[in-house]
Amino acid sequence: MMTTKNADIGLVGLAVMGQNLALNIADHGYTIAVYNRDPKKMLNFIEECKAKEPSHERVVGHADLASFVLSIKRPRKIVLLVKAGSATDVTINALLPFLEEGDIIIDGGNALWTDTIRREKELTAKGIDFIGSGVSGGEIGARFGPSLMPSGNRKAWASLEPIWRDIAAKVDPDTGAPIEGAAPGKPVEGGFACTEYIGPDGSGHYVKMVHNGIEYIDMQLICEAYWLMKNLLGMAADEIGKVFAEWNKGELSSYLIEITADILQQKDPVSPGFLVDKVMDAAGQKGTGQWTAANALELGAPANAIAAAVYARALSSVKEERVEASKILKGPVSKPVSDKDKAATIEAIKSALYCSKICAYAQGFQLMDKAQVAYNWKLNFGEIAQIWRGGCIIRARFLQKITDAYARNSRLKNLMLDPYFTTELNDGQAGWRHVIALAVSNGIPAQGFAAALAYYDGYRSAVLPANLLQAQRDYFGAHTYERVDQPRGQFFHLDWPEKNRPQLAIE
């Protein structure tokens, strides 16, 4: 095995994501050292590389950590693509005896951002730089250009930046459209690279977490649109797929809409009909959506649509309970939409999907705005939207509108207040409300659409019933209240159970 210091970068962890990222790096002219705790996996990967294109000769395998680390040029840059959590800590501790001051560890896994903060502090004390980098795009993104969200020490980022910019997805700098055409060994050059320095410590992994939370609700909304067409309109899977394919030509154009169109038109390879109708309706999750919803609760950010998507997956997972409940709990008699109203209903569903999507992204960016205050970060939301424009799972034409919104007003408090999004919500809300009413009257669950609309109606309301809620809190717990006829920040308490009930001003 090679022990001379001629590798530009190293990578630990050769599951599919690790293998594809290694090939992506090699495609761009870098020599990469690779290591896996199971040497057989490493050897098999190297043999596969030898059988492929010449650029893959730049992938060099190592059976032990010592030779792996010593083969990398200083300052060493070592990417970890191992399971998040304790496995990451174990890998870092195994590397430490071979590292020297100024070397850089890059965690590309789905790490919890608080773990990234901790790891950076611990490694900085040992003279090792640490970058937590969100990596989005799945297997294909890792191979041909992911969206990369790095954070940590700026000096370390300067060392990693050329590689990260080379391997990231590229989009047209003027239109934001992805630059297509990548093929193995033929990386696409030019365009805006979908990576940028996010900020200090755990901000990169935090932004990746919010990306995943948005991904949860984006997928849920698409599923609800499909379900309404199936149950309200009686449409077959392939017909619905053609609707999504048409939607993908307009403002809803995105990776998730594109693959939905493909999925719905896929015939079952083993029996008559379409594959989607044979897939069990029990969704899995790896936890990042839960992290987003939990952090929104912690920071008091109104991300109810994102939370609704998490709960929808949880509800889907209790399949057996739902089957039993369906025999006991009754809903309304379904009233399918007539053929003459079919086209108008499809258009209304499209409006509901787009308006709900705007609200979902507004919640994600509102959460990041809260986070930057709580964790002392300074996030560039226009750049974050641009980074997500290509490579990642939520990549979409829509994201260019978000970049444009923050270019118009870098201090925008909520995406819904941008003129473009305000117009879209005003124009689309009639169809949005109609679709939710149809869903409710027919007993079809549409929690994502409904949660997004509740957020919209709540945010646009100058007055909410929280006055009664705060009075209740003061009654049972003396939590005080503010008065509408007094300046904000002045608090009062009424001794509610007493007959004369004196009001006290609280300093």
Side-chain angles (χ1 to χ4, degrees):
M1 295 296 175
M2 183 181 298
T3 56
T4 56
K5 297 183 180 180
N6 67 348
D8 300 296
I9 190 168
L11 185 144
V12 177
L14 291 174
V16 175
M17 282 288 287
Q19 291 185 19
N20 284 353
L21 196 70
L23 294 174
N24 185 357
I25 291 171
D27 281 349
H28 286 84
Y30 299 100
T31 298
I32 179 167
V34 296
Y35 171 84
N36 195 79
R37 65 175 181 172
D38 179 357
K40 289 182 180 178
K41 179 170 282 191
M42 180 273 295
L43 290 170
N44 289 338
F45 176 54
I46 295 301
E47 287 303 313
E48 290 175 8
C49 289
K50 288 178 180 177
K52 293 178 180 177
E53 299 185 29
S55 67
H56 298 168
E57 293 177 1
R58 290 191 284 271
V59 181
V60 183
H62 295 268
D64 64 277
L65 278 175
S67 66
F68 165 75
V69 173
L70 290 173
S71 74
I72 305 167
K73 299 172 188 174
R74 296 208 62 216
R76 301 181 180 96
K77 294 174 281 292
I78 299 176
V79 181
L80 308 185
L81 277 172
V82 298
K83 189 175 180 180
S86 60
T88 301
D89 290 314
V90 168
T91 304
I92 290 171
N93 289 332
L95 285 168
L96 280 175
F98 310 107
L99 299 180
E100 299 174 72
E101 187 173 346
D103 288 346
I104 307 163
I105 293 175
I106 304 106
D107 180 9
N110 268 332
L112 185 61
W113 85 97
T114 50
D115 285 343
T116 302
I117 293 173
R118 169 181 58 80
R119 288 169 184 142
E120 189 196 31
K121 286 180 179 177
E122 292 172 352
L123 289 168
T124 298
K126 294 178 169 67
I128 306 300
D129 288 326
F130 186 74
I131 289 177
S133 181
V135 178
S136 181
E139 299 171 15
I140 300 300
R143 181 66 187 85
F144 300 116
S147 173
L148 299 166
M149 294 150 264
S151 64
N153 182 297
R154 272 197 175 274
K155 177 174 67 70
W157 164 239
S159 181
L160 177 66
E161 183 177 5
I163 300 175
W164 244 223
R165 289 199 184 282
D166 280 347
I167 69 170
K170 308 297 189 299
V171 298
D172 185 283
D174 296 320
T175 66
I179 297 175
E180 305 291 353
K186 297 178 182 178
V188 170
E189 303 298 338
F192 174 91
C194 292
T195 186
E196 196 58 71
Y197 176 75
I198 300 296
D201 51 68
S203 57
H205 275 136
Y206 186 92
V207 167
K208 173 58 164 57
M209 177 196 75
V210 174
H211 165 284
N212 285 22
I214 292 173
E215 180 185 314
Y216 271 53
I217 180 60
D218 218 341
M219 295 171 71
Q220 177 64 26
L221 296 172
I222 289 170
C223 291
E224 290 178 12
Y226 147 73
W227 204 234
L228 288 164
M229 282 187 271
K230 178 180 175 69
N231 289 282
L232 283 178
L233 304 175
M235 295 168 65
D238 62 334
E239 186 183 4
I240 301 171
K242 290 172 184 175
V243 171
F244 276 102
E246 189 62 30
W247 287 354
N248 198 46
K249 298 174 184 177
E251 65 270 15
L252 280 168
S253 175
S254 71
Y255 173 70
L256 287 171
I257 294 287
E258 178 186 348
I259 67 169
T260 299
D262 288 346
I263 290 166
L264 289 169
Q265 295 176 83
Q266 173 64 54
K267 291 185 177 179
D268 185 3
V270 296
S271 62
F274 295 93
L275 179 59
V276 71
D277 295 324
K278 308 298 193 306
V279 176
M280 179 69 68
D281 57 316
Q285 53 184 314
K286 291 188 176 181
T288 47
Q290 294 177 35
W291 292 350
T292 310
N295 184 247
L297 285 170
E298 182 182 345
L299 297 182
N304 65 316
I306 293 173
V310 176
Y311 291 137
R313 291 197 190 192
L315 187 59
S316 78
S317 70
V318 292
K319 171 68 175 178
E320 290 73 21
E321 289 182 44
R322 290 189 290 109
V323 170
E324 289 303 311
S326 70
K327 302 171 186 176
I328 302 168
L329 304 175
K330 301 303 178 186
V333 176
S334 180
K335 298 176 182 178
V337 174
S338 65
D339 287 343
K340 69 181 179 64
D341 294 327
K342 180 177 178 179
T345 303
I346 291 174
E347 190 63 26
I349 293 170
K350 179 184 178 183
S351 294
L353 178 55
Y354 196 53
C355 289
S356 297
K357 183 184 180 81
I358 292 170
C359 290
Y361 279 71
Q363 290 182 12
F365 279 83
Q366 193 174 32
L367 174 57
M368 289 190 287
D369 192 29
K370 286 256 189 186
Q372 71 174 346
V373 175
Y375 306 126
N376 196 29
W377 300 329
K378 188 174 181 180
L379 304 178
N380 187 320
F381 298 131
E383 282 186 352
I384 289 169
Q386 194 77 21
I387 289 167
W388 291 347
R389 187 66 180 85
C392 68
I393 302 301
I394 64 171
R395 60 186 183 267
R397 180 180 301 178
F398 168 87
L399 284 157
Q400 189 62 37
K401 299 295 186 183
I402 298 178
T403 295
D404 294 343
Y406 284 108
R408 283 188 288 271
N409 181 3
S410 62
R411 297 184 177 182
L412 185 66
K413 295 305 296 180
N414 191 296
L415 282 174
M416 296 188 295
L417 302 179
D418 174 75
Y420 169 79
F421 293 115
T422 298
T423 299
E424 291 298 316
L425 290 165
N426 287 341
D427 291 348
Q429 68 172 290
W432 189 12
R433 294 179 189 281
H434 176 62
V435 163
I436 292 173
L438 283 174
V440 172
S441 62
N442 283 275
I444 300 170
Q447 51 266 62
F449 285 170
L453 181 60
Y455 171 76
Y456 173 74
D457 282 338
Y459 192 78
R460 68 176 186 83
S461 296
V463 180
L464 290 169
N467 56 332
L468 176 58
L469 189 151
Q470 194 61 19
Q472 291 170 333
R473 294 182 73 242
D474 190 55
Y475 189 107
F476 66 67
H479 292 295
T480 75
Y481 54 88
E482 295 171 275
R483 294 181 59 93
V484 296
D485 54 4
Q486 298 296 324
R488 289 299 307 266
Q490 291 189 17
F491 294 89
F492 301 86
H493 166 63
L494 187 69
D495 194 2
W496 299 86
E498 293 294 322
K499 181 180 285 187
N500 296 325
R501 297 181 178 175
Q503 178 177 267
L504 303 174
I506 308 298
E507 297 295 331

